[in-house]
Amino acid sequence: MNPVYTEKQLELLELLSQSGPVDSTLAAQMLDLPVDEVIDSIARFKQDGVLLGYTAVIDWQKINSHHGVTAFIDVKVTPKRGRGFDEVAERIHRFPEVTSLYLMSGAYDLQVVLDGKSLQEVSQFVSEKLSTLDSVISTTTHFRLKTYKHDGVLFSQDDGDKRLKVSP
């Protein structure tokens, strides 16, 4: 059964989802709550498995020394009787290369996201690990070329149209 939270606790969760870890005193002031209640709520979120962690959103394209590729692999699988897609998903999420795994609607059943050092590394993962699983019927791999927005954060703000103006 899903836990029930107060409206203020939901506001705190929203604040944490937008800002990541925040100082409890500052959060208490922003939400008009006692500091102890903020601390207790965050502890409860963690205990209930609602608050799973914090991640920074980093524009790796601005780091010259960072090279790598992100692959989105659509996977069609045969679900197992009595376990559905969960059994194959559990096998896939154990691979250390996998950063995210989603059950999807549509033509494919699962979407695997992984970060690799090269196209070759992603290719090896697909051919040697993913495709060899008994339940996997087919895969389609897509590569991220550019990030415009991630987790609600815009990556590159357009400074306007830089083309030369041409008048008739």
Side-chain angles (χ1 to χ4, degrees):
M1 186 153 120
N2 290 336
V4 178
Y5 298 114
T6 66
E7 190 64 36
K8 288 290 186 178
Q9 287 175 318
L10 294 175
E11 287 178 34
L12 176 57
L13 280 172
E14 187 64 35
L15 175 66
L16 294 172
S17 75
Q18 291 174 3
S19 304
V22 292
D23 178 70
S24 299
T25 304
L26 178 61
Q29 290 172 348
M30 293 172 71
L31 300 171
D32 194 29
L33 288 170
V35 175
D36 290 345
E37 190 173 329
V38 169
I39 293 168
D40 292 344
S41 293
I42 291 173
R44 180 175 171 211
F45 298 152
K46 290 177 181 178
Q47 180 182 344
D48 291 346
V50 172
L51 179 59
L52 301 175
Y54 301 100
T55 29
V57 178
I58 299 168
D59 188 350
W60 288 108
Q61 295 171 350
K62 293 184 178 175
I63 308 298
N64 292 333
S65 63
H66 180 77
H67 303 286
V69 295
T70 299
F72 302 88
I73 307 165
D74 297 327
V75 185
K76 184 178 273 298
V77 300
T78 303
K80 296 286 185 181
R81 183 178 299 256
R83 295 271 304 159
F85 297 102
D86 293 345
E87 185 175 311
V88 70
E90 287 171 12
R91 291 187 69 195
I92 293 170
H93 80 66
R94 287 188 191 122
F95 292 120
E97 301 91 339
V98 175
T99 58
S100 299
L101 176 62
Y102 306 100
L103 178 63
M104 306 295 289
S105 64
Y108 290 89
D109 304 306
L110 299 172
Q111 184 175 62
V112 179
V113 182
L114 64 99
D115 292 317
K117 293 179 184 146
S118 65
L119 296 175
Q120 180 65 27
E121 184 178 274
V122 172
S123 173
Q124 280 184 291
F125 171 79
V126 173
S127 63
E128 296 174 9
K129 294 182 178 180
L130 190 59
S131 294
T132 61
L133 297 176
D134 291 336
S135 298
V136 173
I137 298 169
S138 66
T139 64
T140 301
T141 303
H142 310 273
F143 293 97
R144 179 182 64 199
L145 301 177
K146 182 177 181 179
T147 301
Y148 294 100
K149 186 176 183 178
H150 180 76
D151 284 344
V153 177
L154 286 175
F155 272 55
S156 58
Q157 302 276 339
D158 187 14
D159 294 335
D161 192 351
K162 295 191 178 6
R163 295 178 291 176
L164 291 174
K165 294 185 176 30
V166 178
S167 316

